[in-house]
Amino acid sequence: MPGRKLINMYKTIAAARQHQVRVSLNSVSRSLHLSVANRNEPVTTRNTTHFGYQTVYEDEKEAKVAEVFHNVASKYDLMNDAMSFGIHRLWKDTFVRQLNPHFGLNVLDIGGGTGDIAFRILKYLNINSGQKVQKANSVDDNSSDSTPNCTIRVVDINQSMLDVGEIRGKELGYQNDIKWINGDAENLPVKDSSVDLVTAAFAIRNVTNIRKAVSEAYRVLTPGGRFSVLEFSHVTNPYLKSLYDMYSFEMIPVMGEIIADDWQSYQYLVESIRKFPTQEEFADIFKEAGFRFVKWQNQTFGTVAIHS
């Protein structure tokens, strides 16, 4: 049967790729062991973190994550549709509806290089206000429209993702409504207490230091401001979790190989989800940073969660 042949093909590709990754990691491990063993000078202590299931030095993770998103940028939307069967669009729509943005807000979207959240915010404002968002770069300073501008800045450390977002913005007619900034979530190029709303969708789990990124969001928010995060989370039902894990590890990297010619980037993405804090643990990180009235809401049985 064609379906069975396709599944067998997936399994063959998966087994070959997993063997290749294991051999590669074992080689790296042996090389590092020999390198350290042959040193006579004292070894400087360096903090480690995770890159998927790998343990890496903190100063190496940023470059590794940057490489992943540089590789996936051109096929990012296509792969999101394939991996989630299009459900990611509903998650993002729900996220923006719950934000309930209004005109006059100063919005900062972290890690939103492709513009998905920024575009949805602008669309939400246009639909619910009954009028078009004022252009940020309008040459008519004496416009009779009394509605204040909504300032939206997208900060992303990966220029390839920002390039995709800017192109999409021009195609959608939003070229003057959004500022695209190459910057780090752990060191935001934004003044203290200057932003009303900070958002992050499927971005926080990729930073090197999650606590530092959350603290940065707190730093730039005005008193009473809001930080909202849409992120992959943890399915708690054991039966659904088993099915979800099987799909994630057996199918998503194979899709990455077939659609984007990139197994390892999507293997990392699957692993990074499992290494991300649970809903309760992430809420505690919010509280440690100084946020109050912290809550979360699961979507699709906890596959993702909205934190605020």
Side-chain angles (χ1 to χ4, degrees), residues 80 83-84 88 91 202-203 205 229-234 244 269 272-274 276-277 302-305 307:
N80 280 345
M83 290 187 298
S84 71
H88 76 101
W91 293 333
F202 305 117
R205 77 180 188 282
V229 175
L230 173 64
E231 189 54 87
F232 285 109
S233 200
H234 296 267
Y244 177 52
L269 292 176
S272 70
I273 294 169
R274 272 66 186 180
F276 191 71
T303 304
V304 303
H307 300 261

mmCIF file with all atom_site columns, all heavy atoms in Angstrom, residues 80 83-84 88 91 202-203 205 229-234 244 269 272-274 276-277 302-305 307:
data_model
loop_
_atom_site.group_PDB
_atom_site.id
_atom_site.type_symbol
_atom_site.label_atom_id
_atom_site.label_alt_id
_atom_site.label_comp_id
_atom_site.label_asym_id
_atom_site.label_entity_id
_atom_site.label_seq_id
_atom_site.pdbx_PDB_ins_code
_atom_site.Cartn_x
_atom_site.Cartn_y
_atom_site.Cartn_z
_atom_site.occupancy
_atom_site.B_iso_or_equiv
_atom_site.pdbx_formal_charge
_atom_site.auth_seq_id
_atom_site.auth_comp_id
_atom_site.auth_asym_id
_atom_site.auth_atom_id
_atom_site.pdbx_PDB_model_num
ATOM 1   N N   . ASN A 1 80  ? 6.019  25.465 9.346  1.00 0.00 ? 80  ASN A N   1
ATOM 2   C CA  . ASN A 1 80  ? 5.056  25.640 10.449 1.00 0.00 ? 80  ASN A CA  1
ATOM 3   C C   . ASN A 1 80  ? 3.691  25.066 10.075 1.00 0.00 ? 80  ASN A C   1
ATOM 4   O O   . ASN A 1 80  ? 3.032  24.412 10.884 1.00 0.00 ? 80  ASN A O   1
ATOM 5   C CB  . ASN A 1 80  ? 4.916  27.121 10.800 1.00 0.00 ? 80  ASN A CB  1
ATOM 6   C CG  . ASN A 1 80  ? 6.052  27.624 11.668 1.00 0.00 ? 80  ASN A CG  1
ATOM 7   O OD1 . ASN A 1 80  ? 6.806  26.839 12.236 1.00 0.00 ? 80  ASN A OD1 1
ATOM 8   N ND2 . ASN A 1 80  ? 6.190  28.933 11.757 1.00 0.00 ? 80  ASN A ND2 1
ATOM 9   N N   . MET A 1 83  ? 4.117  21.130 10.000 1.00 0.00 ? 83  MET A N   1
ATOM 10  C CA  . MET A 1 83  ? 4.307  20.494 11.306 1.00 0.00 ? 83  MET A CA  1
ATOM 11  C C   . MET A 1 83  ? 3.055  20.535 12.165 1.00 0.00 ? 83  MET A C   1
ATOM 12  O O   . MET A 1 83  ? 2.767  19.602 12.906 1.00 0.00 ? 83  MET A O   1
ATOM 13  C CB  . MET A 1 83  ? 5.463  21.172 12.056 1.00 0.00 ? 83  MET A CB  1
ATOM 14  C CG  . MET A 1 83  ? 6.830  20.916 11.470 1.00 0.00 ? 83  MET A CG  1
ATOM 15  S SD  . MET A 1 83  ? 8.159  21.576 12.509 1.00 0.00 ? 83  MET A SD  1
ATOM 16  C CE  . MET A 1 83  ? 7.802  23.332 12.490 1.00 0.00 ? 83  MET A CE  1
ATOM 17  N N   . SER A 1 84  ? 2.317  21.664 12.088 1.00 0.00 ? 84  SER A N   1
ATOM 18  C CA  . SER A 1 84  ? 1.153  21.841 12.970 1.00 0.00 ? 84  SER A CA  1
ATOM 19  C C   . SER A 1 84  ? -0.168 21.647 12.244 1.00 0.00 ? 84  SER A C   1
ATOM 20  O O   . SER A 1 84  ? -1.228 21.858 12.839 1.00 0.00 ? 84  SER A O   1
ATOM 21  C CB  . SER A 1 84  ? 1.179  23.244 13.591 1.00 0.00 ? 84  SER A CB  1
ATOM 22  O OG  . SER A 1 84  ? 0.885  24.238 12.614 1.00 0.00 ? 84  SER A OG  1
ATOM 23  N N   . HIS A 1 88  ? -0.945 26.366 13.998 1.00 0.00 ? 88  HIS A N   1
ATOM 24  C CA  . HIS A 1 88  ? -0.166 27.481 14.559 1.00 0.00 ? 88  HIS A CA  1
ATOM 25  C C   . HIS A 1 88  ? -0.829 28.820 14.254 1.00 0.00 ? 88  HIS A C   1
ATOM 26  O O   . HIS A 1 88  ? -0.695 29.782 15.026 1.00 0.00 ? 88  HIS A O   1
ATOM 27  C CB  . HIS A 1 88  ? 1.273  27.453 14.029 1.00 0.00 ? 88  HIS A CB  1
ATOM 28  C CG  . HIS A 1 88  ? 1.420  27.930 12.606 1.00 0.00 ? 88  HIS A CG  1
ATOM 29  N ND1 . HIS A 1 88  ? 1.872  29.197 12.295 1.00 0.00 ? 88  HIS A ND1 1
ATOM 30  C CD2 . HIS A 1 88  ? 1.174  27.314 11.427 1.00 0.00 ? 88  HIS A CD2 1
ATOM 31  C CE1 . HIS A 1 88  ? 1.894  29.336 10.979 1.00 0.00 ? 88  HIS A CE1 1
ATOM 32  N NE2 . HIS A 1 88  ? 1.485  28.216 10.428 1.00 0.00 ? 88  HIS A NE2 1
ATOM 33  N N   . TRP A 1 91  ? -3.430 29.350 16.945 1.00 0.00 ? 91  TRP A N   1
ATOM 34  C CA  . TRP A 1 91  ? -2.781 29.704 18.206 1.00 0.00 ? 91  TRP A CA  1
ATOM 35  C C   . TRP A 1 91  ? -2.399 31.189 18.216 1.00 0.00 ? 91  TRP A C   1
ATOM 36  O O   . TRP A 1 91  ? -2.625 31.888 19.199 1.00 0.00 ? 91  TRP A O   1
ATOM 37  C CB  . TRP A 1 91  ? -1.529 28.859 18.409 1.00 0.00 ? 91  TRP A CB  1
ATOM 38  C CG  . TRP A 1 91  ? -1.770 27.403 18.630 1.00 0.00 ? 91  TRP A CG  1
ATOM 39  C CD1 . TRP A 1 91  ? -2.893 26.810 19.159 1.00 0.00 ? 91  TRP A CD1 1
ATOM 40  C CD2 . TRP A 1 91  ? -0.864 26.331 18.325 1.00 0.00 ? 91  TRP A CD2 1
ATOM 41  N NE1 . TRP A 1 91  ? -2.730 25.446 19.215 1.00 0.00 ? 91  TRP A NE1 1
ATOM 42  C CE2 . TRP A 1 91  ? -1.512 25.122 18.709 1.00 0.00 ? 91  TRP A CE2 1
ATOM 43  C CE3 . TRP A 1 91  ? 0.415  26.265 17.779 1.00 0.00 ? 91  TRP A CE3 1
ATOM 44  C CZ2 . TRP A 1 91  ? -0.895 23.870 18.549 1.00 0.00 ? 91  TRP A CZ2 1
ATOM 45  C CZ3 . TRP A 1 91  ? 1.022  25.030 17.621 1.00 0.00 ? 91  TRP A CZ3 1
ATOM 46  C CH2 . TRP A 1 91  ? 0.365  23.851 18.005 1.00 0.00 ? 91  TRP A CH2 1
ATOM 47  N N   . PHE A 1 202 ? 6.895  31.785 20.256 1.00 0.00 ? 202 PHE A N   1
ATOM 48  C CA  . PHE A 1 202 ? 7.801  30.711 19.855 1.00 0.00 ? 202 PHE A CA  1
ATOM 49  C C   . PHE A 1 202 ? 9.237  31.214 19.719 1.00 0.00 ? 202 PHE A C   1
ATOM 50  O O   . PHE A 1 202 ? 9.943  30.875 18.769 1.00 0.00 ? 202 PHE A O   1
ATOM 51  C CB  . PHE A 1 202 ? 7.323  30.075 18.538 1.00 0.00 ? 202 PHE A CB  1
ATOM 52  C CG  . PHE A 1 202 ? 5.906  29.588 18.604 1.00 0.00 ? 202 PHE A CG  1
ATOM 53  C CD1 . PHE A 1 202 ? 4.918  30.129 17.790 1.00 0.00 ? 202 PHE A CD1 1
ATOM 54  C CD2 . PHE A 1 202 ? 5.543  28.602 19.512 1.00 0.00 ? 202 PHE A CD2 1
ATOM 55  C CE1 . PHE A 1 202 ? 3.600  29.683 17.858 1.00 0.00 ? 202 PHE A CE1 1
ATOM 56  C CE2 . PHE A 1 202 ? 4.224  28.144 19.590 1.00 0.00 ? 202 PHE A CE2 1
ATOM 57  C CZ  . PHE A 1 202 ? 3.260  28.682 18.769 1.00 0.00 ? 202 PHE A CZ  1
ATOM 58  N N   . ALA A 1 203 ? 9.645  32.031 20.684 1.00 0.00 ? 203 ALA A N   1
ATOM 59  C CA  . ALA A 1 203 ? 10.980 32.630 20.630 1.00 0.00 ? 203 ALA A CA  1
ATOM 60  C C   . ALA A 1 203 ? 11.776 32.413 21.910 1.00 0.00 ? 203 ALA A C   1
ATOM 61  O O   . ALA A 1 203 ? 12.991 32.169 21.863 1.00 0.00 ? 203 ALA A O   1
ATOM 62  C CB  . ALA A 1 203 ? 10.861 34.134 20.357 1.00 0.00 ? 203 ALA A CB  1
ATOM 63  N N   . ARG A 1 205 ? 12.122 30.106 24.100 1.00 0.00 ? 205 ARG A N   1
ATOM 64  C CA  . ARG A 1 205 ? 12.826 28.850 24.384 1.00 0.00 ? 205 ARG A CA  1
ATOM 65  C C   . ARG A 1 205 ? 14.172 28.778 23.660 1.00 0.00 ? 205 ARG A C   1
ATOM 66  O O   . ARG A 1 205 ? 15.020 27.944 23.982 1.00 0.00 ? 205 ARG A O   1
ATOM 67  C CB  . ARG A 1 205 ? 11.968 27.640 24.013 1.00 0.00 ? 205 ARG A CB  1
ATOM 68  C CG  . ARG A 1 205 ? 11.899 27.335 22.553 1.00 0.00 ? 205 ARG A CG  1
ATOM 69  C CD  . ARG A 1 205 ? 11.040 26.118 22.252 1.00 0.00 ? 205 ARG A CD  1
ATOM 70  N NE  . ARG A 1 205 ? 11.145 25.744 20.854 1.00 0.00 ? 205 ARG A NE  1
ATOM 71  C CZ  . ARG A 1 205 ? 10.525 26.362 19.864 1.00 0.00 ? 205 ARG A CZ  1
ATOM 72  N NH1 . ARG A 1 205 ? 9.720  27.392 20.128 1.00 0.00 ? 205 ARG A NH1 1
ATOM 73  N NH2 . ARG A 1 205 ? 10.682 25.964 18.608 1.00 0.00 ? 205 ARG A NH2 1
ATOM 74  N N   . VAL A 1 229 ? 3.542  35.766 26.376 1.00 0.00 ? 229 VAL A N   1
ATOM 75  C CA  . VAL A 1 229 ? 4.373  34.797 25.663 1.00 0.00 ? 229 VAL A CA  1
ATOM 76  C C   . VAL A 1 229 ? 3.503  33.653 25.152 1.00 0.00 ? 229 VAL A C   1
ATOM 77  O O   . VAL A 1 229 ? 2.707  33.083 25.901 1.00 0.00 ? 229 VAL A O   1
ATOM 78  C CB  . VAL A 1 229 ? 5.474  34.225 26.580 1.00 0.00 ? 229 VAL A CB  1
ATOM 79  C CG1 . VAL A 1 229 ? 6.266  33.124 25.875 1.00 0.00 ? 229 VAL A CG1 1
ATOM 80  C CG2 . VAL A 1 229 ? 6.409  35.334 27.047 1.00 0.00 ? 229 VAL A CG2 1
ATOM 81  N N   . LEU A 1 230 ? 3.658  33.340 23.883 1.00 0.00 ? 230 LEU A N   1
ATOM 82  C CA  . LEU A 1 230 ? 3.067  32.146 23.292 1.00 0.00 ? 230 LEU A CA  1
ATOM 83  C C   . LEU A 1 230 ? 4.214  31.183 23.021 1.00 0.00 ? 230 LEU A C   1
ATOM 84  O O   . LEU A 1 230 ? 5.148  31.517 22.279 1.00 0.00 ? 230 LEU A O   1
ATOM 85  C CB  . LEU A 1 230 ? 2.344  32.488 21.989 1.00 0.00 ? 230 LEU A CB  1
ATOM 86  C CG  . LEU A 1 230 ? 1.816  31.322 21.151 1.00 0.00 ? 230 LEU A CG  1
ATOM 87  C CD1 . LEU A 1 230 ? 0.729  30.557 21.902 1.00 0.00 ? 230 LEU A CD1 1
ATOM 88  C CD2 . LEU A 1 230 ? 1.292  31.817 19.802 1.00 0.00 ? 230 LEU A CD2 1
ATOM 89  N N   . GLU A 1 231 ? 4.181  30.023 23.641 1.00 0.00 ? 231 GLU A N   1
ATOM 90  C CA  . GLU A 1 231 ? 5.334  29.114 23.517 1.00 0.00 ? 231 GLU A CA  1
ATOM 91  C C   . GLU A 1 231 ? 4.888  27.662 23.598 1.00 0.00 ? 231 GLU A C   1
ATOM 92  O O   . GLU A 1 231 ? 3.881  27.341 24.243 1.00 0.00 ? 231 GLU A O   1
ATOM 93  C CB  . GLU A 1 231 ? 6.354  29.410 24.625 1.00 0.00 ? 231 GLU A CB  1
ATOM 94  C CG  . GLU A 1 231 ? 7.679  28.687 24.483 1.00 0.00 ? 231 GLU A CG  1
ATOM 95  C CD  . GLU A 1 231 ? 8.341  28.917 23.143 1.00 0.00 ? 231 GLU A CD  1
ATOM 96  O OE1 . GLU A 1 231 ? 9.089  29.904 22.984 1.00 0.00 ? 231 GLU A OE1 1
ATOM 97  O OE2 . GLU A 1 231 ? 8.105  28.078 22.236 1.00 0.00 ? 231 GLU A OE2 1
ATOM 98  N N   . PHE A 1 232 ? 5.639  26.801 22.918 1.00 0.00 ? 232 PHE A N   1
ATOM 99  C CA  . PHE A 1 232 ? 5.410  25.372 23.064 1.00 0.00 ? 232 PHE A CA  1
ATOM 100 C C   . PHE A 1 232 ? 5.582  24.992 24.531 1.00 0.00 ? 232 PHE A C   1
ATOM 101 O O   . PHE A 1 232 ? 6.424  25.543 25.231 1.00 0.00 ? 232 PHE A O   1
ATOM 102 C CB  . PHE A 1 232 ? 6.389  24.572 22.211 1.00 0.00 ? 232 PHE A CB  1
ATOM 103 C CG  . PHE A 1 232 ? 6.059  24.596 20.753 1.00 0.00 ? 232 PHE A CG  1
ATOM 104 C CD1 . PHE A 1 232 ? 6.840  25.309 19.857 1.00 0.00 ? 232 PHE A CD1 1
ATOM 105 C CD2 . PHE A 1 232 ? 4.965  23.897 20.265 1.00 0.00 ? 232 PHE A CD2 1
ATOM 106 C CE1 . PHE A 1 232 ? 6.542  25.332 18.502 1.00 0.00 ? 232 PHE A CE1 1
ATOM 107 C CE2 . PHE A 1 232 ? 4.648  23.907 18.912 1.00 0.00 ? 232 PHE A CE2 1
ATOM 108 C CZ  . PHE A 1 232 ? 5.447  24.628 18.030 1.00 0.00 ? 232 PHE A CZ  1
ATOM 109 N N   . SER A 1 233 ? 4.760  24.039 24.972 1.00 0.00 ? 233 SER A N   1
ATOM 110 C CA  . SER A 1 233 ? 4.792  23.687 26.385 1.00 0.00 ? 233 SER A CA  1
ATOM 111 C C   . SER A 1 233 ? 4.747  22.174 26.544 1.00 0.00 ? 233 SER A C   1
ATOM 112 O O   . SER A 1 233 ? 5.277  21.441 25.699 1.00 0.00 ? 233 SER A O   1
ATOM 113 C CB  . SER A 1 233 ? 3.639  24.386 27.120 1.00 0.00 ? 233 SER A CB  1
ATOM 114 O OG  . SER A 1 233 ? 3.886  24.445 28.497 1.00 0.00 ? 233 SER A OG  1
ATOM 115 N N   . HIS A 1 234 ? 4.085  21.700 27.597 1.00 0.00 ? 234 HIS A N   1
ATOM 116 C CA  . HIS A 1 234 ? 4.143  20.279 27.927 1.00 0.00 ? 234 HIS A CA  1
ATOM 117 C C   . HIS A 1 234 ? 2.743  19.684 28.022 1.00 0.00 ? 234 HIS A C   1
ATOM 118 O O   . HIS A 1 234 ? 1.908  20.150 28.802 1.00 0.00 ? 234 HIS A O   1
ATOM 119 C CB  . HIS A 1 234 ? 4.885  20.086 29.251 1.00 0.00 ? 234 HIS A CB  1
ATOM 120 C CG  . HIS A 1 234 ? 6.320  20.516 29.178 1.00 0.00 ? 234 HIS A CG  1
ATOM 121 N ND1 . HIS A 1 234 ? 7.349  19.652 28.873 1.00 0.00 ? 234 HIS A ND1 1
ATOM 122 C CD2 . HIS A 1 234 ? 6.895  21.737 29.332 1.00 0.00 ? 234 HIS A CD2 1
ATOM 123 C CE1 . HIS A 1 234 ? 8.495  20.303 28.862 1.00 0.00 ? 234 HIS A CE1 1
ATOM 124 N NE2 . HIS A 1 234 ? 8.238  21.578 29.127 1.00 0.00 ? 234 HIS A NE2 1
ATOM 125 N N   . TYR A 1 244 ? 2.090  12.444 20.954 1.00 0.00 ? 244 TYR A N   1
ATOM 126 C CA  . TYR A 1 244 ? 2.740  13.700 20.560 1.00 0.00 ? 244 TYR A CA  1
ATOM 127 C C   . TYR A 1 244 ? 4.252  13.508 20.421 1.00 0.00 ? 244 TYR A C   1
ATOM 128 O O   . TYR A 1 244 ? 4.871  13.983 19.459 1.00 0.00 ? 244 TYR A O   1
ATOM 129 C CB  . TYR A 1 244 ? 2.410  14.772 21.596 1.00 0.00 ? 244 TYR A CB  1
ATOM 130 C CG  . TYR A 1 244 ? 3.058  16.110 21.368 1.00 0.00 ? 244 TYR A CG  1
ATOM 131 C CD1 . TYR A 1 244 ? 2.961  16.766 20.145 1.00 0.00 ? 244 TYR A CD1 1
ATOM 132 C CD2 . TYR A 1 244 ? 3.753  16.758 22.404 1.00 0.00 ? 244 TYR A CD2 1
ATOM 133 C CE1 . TYR A 1 244 ? 3.545  18.001 19.945 1.00 0.00 ? 244 TYR A CE1 1
ATOM 134 C CE2 . TYR A 1 244 ? 4.328  17.999 22.214 1.00 0.00 ? 244 TYR A CE2 1
ATOM 135 C CZ  . TYR A 1 244 ? 4.234  18.610 20.986 1.00 0.00 ? 244 TYR A CZ  1
ATOM 136 O OH  . TYR A 1 244 ? 4.810  19.823 20.793 1.00 0.00 ? 244 TYR A OH  1
ATOM 137 N N   . LEU A 1 269 ? 14.684 21.755 17.029 1.00 0.00 ? 269 LEU A N   1
ATOM 138 C CA  . LEU A 1 269 ? 13.429 22.408 17.426 1.00 0.00 ? 269 LEU A CA  1
ATOM 139 C C   . LEU A 1 269 ? 12.567 21.474 18.277 1.00 0.00 ? 269 LEU A C   1
ATOM 140 O O   . LEU A 1 269 ? 11.973 21.904 19.262 1.00 0.00 ? 269 LEU A O   1
ATOM 141 C CB  . LEU A 1 269 ? 12.668 22.860 16.183 1.00 0.00 ? 269 LEU A CB  1
ATOM 142 C CG  . LEU A 1 269 ? 13.307 23.995 15.380 1.00 0.00 ? 269 LEU A CG  1
ATOM 143 C CD1 . LEU A 1 269 ? 12.509 24.287 14.122 1.00 0.00 ? 269 LEU A CD1 1
ATOM 144 C CD2 . LEU A 1 269 ? 13.451 25.260 16.209 1.00 0.00 ? 269 LEU A CD2 1
ATOM 145 N N   . SER A 1 272 ? 14.290 21.185 21.707 1.00 0.00 ? 272 SER A N   1
ATOM 146 C CA  . SER A 1 272 ? 14.231 22.422 22.491 1.00 0.00 ? 272 SER A CA  1
ATOM 147 C C   . SER A 1 272 ? 12.899 22.567 23.208 1.00 0.00 ? 272 SER A C   1
ATOM 148 O O   . SER A 1 272 ? 12.820 23.142 24.292 1.00 0.00 ? 272 SER A O   1
ATOM 149 C CB  . SER A 1 272 ? 14.474 23.646 21.594 1.00 0.00 ? 272 SER A CB  1
ATOM 150 O OG  . SER A 1 272 ? 13.388 23.871 20.701 1.00 0.00 ? 272 SER A OG  1
ATOM 151 N N   . ILE A 1 273 ? 11.842 22.027 22.614 1.00 0.00 ? 273 ILE A N   1
ATOM 152 C CA  . ILE A 1 273 ? 10.525 22.065 23.254 1.00 0.00 ? 273 ILE A CA  1
ATOM 153 C C   . ILE A 1 273 ? 10.534 21.247 24.540 1.00 0.00 ? 273 ILE A C   1
ATOM 154 O O   . ILE A 1 273 ? 9.997  21.658 25.570 1.00 0.00 ? 273 ILE A O   1
ATOM 155 C CB  . ILE A 1 273 ? 9.439  21.556 22.287 1.00 0.00 ? 273 ILE A CB  1
ATOM 156 C CG1 . ILE A 1 273 ? 9.293  22.507 21.097 1.00 0.00 ? 273 ILE A CG1 1
ATOM 157 C CG2 . ILE A 1 273 ? 8.099  21.389 23.007 1.00 0.00 ? 273 ILE A CG2 1
ATOM 158 C CD1 . ILE A 1 273 ? 8.444  21.955 19.963 1.00 0.00 ? 273 ILE A CD1 1
ATOM 159 N N   . ARG A 1 274 ? 11.180 20.081 24.481 1.00 0.00 ? 274 ARG A N   1
ATOM 160 C CA  . ARG A 1 274 ? 11.229 19.207 25.664 1.00 0.00 ? 274 ARG A CA  1
ATOM 161 C C   . ARG A 1 274 ? 12.102 19.788 26.770 1.00 0.00 ? 274 ARG A C   1
ATOM 162 O O   . ARG A 1 274 ? 11.901 19.482 27.951 1.00 0.00 ? 274 ARG A O   1
ATOM 163 C CB  . ARG A 1 274 ? 11.758 17.827 25.278 1.00 0.00 ? 274 ARG A CB  1
ATOM 164 C CG  . ARG A 1 274 ? 10.681 16.862 24.815 1.00 0.00 ? 274 ARG A CG  1
ATOM 165 C CD  . ARG A 1 274 ? 10.053 17.304 23.545 1.00 0.00 ? 274 ARG A CD  1
ATOM 166 N NE  . ARG A 1 274 ? 8.906  16.467 23.151 1.00 0.00 ? 274 ARG A NE  1
ATOM 167 C CZ  . ARG A 1 274 ? 8.210  16.707 22.051 1.00 0.00 ? 274 ARG A CZ  1
ATOM 168 N NH1 . ARG A 1 274 ? 8.509  17.719 21.261 1.00 0.00 ? 274 ARG A NH1 1
ATOM 169 N NH2 . ARG A 1 274 ? 7.182  15.937 21.745 1.00 0.00 ? 274 ARG A NH2 1
ATOM 170 N N   . PHE A 1 276 ? 12.305 23.004 27.455 1.00 0.00 ? 276 PHE A N   1
ATOM 171 C CA  . PHE A 1 276 ? 11.715 24.245 27.954 1.00 0.00 ? 276 PHE A CA  1
ATOM 172 C C   . PHE A 1 276 ? 11.013 23.979 29.281 1.00 0.00 ? 276 PHE A C   1
ATOM 173 O O   . PHE A 1 276 ? 10.459 22.897 29.492 1.00 0.00 ? 276 PHE A O   1
ATOM 174 C CB  . PHE A 1 276 ? 10.721 24.806 26.930 1.00 0.00 ? 276 PHE A CB  1
ATOM 175 C CG  . PHE A 1 276 ? 10.267 26.201 27.222 1.00 0.00 ? 276 PHE A CG  1
ATOM 176 C CD1 . PHE A 1 276 ? 11.129 27.273 27.073 1.00 0.00 ? 276 PHE A CD1 1
ATOM 177 C CD2 . PHE A 1 276 ? 8.970  26.453 27.659 1.00 0.00 ? 276 PHE A CD2 1
ATOM 178 C CE1 . PHE A 1 276 ? 10.714 28.572 27.346 1.00 0.00 ? 276 PHE A CE1 1
ATOM 179 C CE2 . PHE A 1 276 ? 8.546  27.741 27.932 1.00 0.00 ? 276 PHE A CE2 1
ATOM 180 C CZ  . PHE A 1 276 ? 9.429  28.801 27.775 1.00 0.00 ? 276 PHE A CZ  1
ATOM 181 N N   . PRO A 1 277 ? 11.007 24.938 30.202 1.00 0.00 ? 277 PRO A N   1
ATOM 182 C CA  . PRO A 1 277 ? 10.341 24.738 31.502 1.00 0.00 ? 277 PRO A CA  1
ATOM 183 C C   . PRO A 1 277 ? 8.865  24.389 31.346 1.00 0.00 ? 277 PRO A C   1
ATOM 184 O O   . PRO A 1 277 ? 8.218  24.760 30.368 1.00 0.00 ? 277 PRO A O   1
ATOM 185 C CB  . PRO A 1 277 ? 10.516 26.100 32.196 1.00 0.00 ? 277 PRO A CB  1
ATOM 186 C CG  . PRO A 1 277 ? 11.706 26.725 31.543 1.00 0.00 ? 277 PRO A CG  1
ATOM 187 C CD  . PRO A 1 277 ? 11.691 26.254 30.133 1.00 0.00 ? 277 PRO A CD  1
ATOM 188 N N   . GLY A 1 302 ? -2.134 21.539 25.964 1.00 0.00 ? 302 GLY A N   1
ATOM 189 C CA  . GLY A 1 302 ? -0.821 21.877 26.508 1.00 0.00 ? 302 GLY A CA  1
ATOM 190 C C   . GLY A 1 302 ? 0.298  21.798 25.491 1.00 0.00 ? 302 GLY A C   1
ATOM 191 O O   . GLY A 1 302 ? 1.466  21.981 25.857 1.00 0.00 ? 302 GLY A O   1
ATOM 192 N N   . THR A 1 303 ? -0.025 21.543 24.242 1.00 0.00 ? 303 THR A N   1
ATOM 193 C CA  . THR A 1 303 ? 1.000  21.572 23.192 1.00 0.00 ? 303 THR A CA  1
ATOM 194 C C   . THR A 1 303 ? 1.679  22.938 23.203 1.00 0.00 ? 303 THR A C   1
ATOM 195 O O   . THR A 1 303 ? 2.893  23.046 23.050 1.00 0.00 ? 303 THR A O   1
ATOM 196 C CB  . THR A 1 303 ? 0.370  21.300 21.801 1.00 0.00 ? 303 THR A CB  1
ATOM 197 O OG1 . THR A 1 303 ? -0.310 20.062 21.846 1.00 0.00 ? 303 THR A OG1 1
ATOM 198 C CG2 . THR A 1 303 ? 1.451  21.271 20.741 1.00 0.00 ? 303 THR A CG2 1
ATOM 199 N N   . VAL A 1 304 ? 0.879  23.984 23.349 1.00 0.00 ? 304 VAL A N   1
ATOM 200 C CA  . VAL A 1 304 ? 1.403  25.338 23.568 1.00 0.00 ? 304 VAL A CA  1
ATOM 201 C C   . VAL A 1 304 ? 0.668  25.939 24.758 1.00 0.00 ? 304 VAL A C   1
ATOM 202 O O   . VAL A 1 304 ? -0.372 25.432 25.188 1.00 0.00 ? 304 VAL A O   1
ATOM 203 C CB  . VAL A 1 304 ? 1.224  26.239 22.326 1.00 0.00 ? 304 VAL A CB  1
ATOM 204 C CG1 . VAL A 1 304 ? 1.879  25.641 21.103 1.00 0.00 ? 304 VAL A CG1 1
ATOM 205 C CG2 . VAL A 1 304 ? -0.240 26.527 22.067 1.00 0.00 ? 304 VAL A CG2 1
ATOM 206 N N   . ALA A 1 305 ? 1.218  27.014 25.281 1.00 0.00 ? 305 ALA A N   1
ATOM 207 C CA  . ALA A 1 305 ? 0.561  27.740 26.376 1.00 0.00 ? 305 ALA A CA  1
ATOM 208 C C   . ALA A 1 305 ? 0.774  29.231 26.177 1.00 0.00 ? 305 ALA A C   1
ATOM 209 O O   . ALA A 1 305 ? 1.790  29.662 25.616 1.00 0.00 ? 305 ALA A O   1
ATOM 210 C CB  . ALA A 1 305 ? 1.110  27.296 27.733 1.00 0.00 ? 305 ALA A CB  1
ATOM 211 N N   . HIS A 1 307 ? 1.296  32.569 28.233 1.00 0.00 ? 307 HIS A N   1
ATOM 212 C CA  . HIS A 1 307 ? 1.705  33.055 29.537 1.00 0.00 ? 307 HIS A CA  1
ATOM 213 C C   . HIS A 1 307 ? 1.626  34.572 29.569 1.00 0.00 ? 307 HIS A C   1
ATOM 214 O O   . HIS A 1 307 ? 1.999  35.250 28.620 1.00 0.00 ? 307 HIS A O   1
ATOM 215 C CB  . HIS A 1 307 ? 3.152  32.627 29.849 1.00 0.00 ? 307 HIS A CB  1
ATOM 216 C CG  . HIS A 1 307 ? 3.375  31.150 29.876 1.00 0.00 ? 307 HIS A CG  1
ATOM 217 N ND1 . HIS A 1 307 ? 3.409  30.419 31.044 1.00 0.00 ? 307 HIS A ND1 1
ATOM 218 C CD2 . HIS A 1 307 ? 3.582  30.269 28.864 1.00 0.00 ? 307 HIS A CD2 1
ATOM 219 C CE1 . HIS A 1 307 ? 3.619  29.152 30.759 1.00 0.00 ? 307 HIS A CE1 1
ATOM 220 N NE2 . HIS A 1 307 ? 3.730  29.022 29.444 1.00 0.00 ? 307 HIS A NE2 1
#
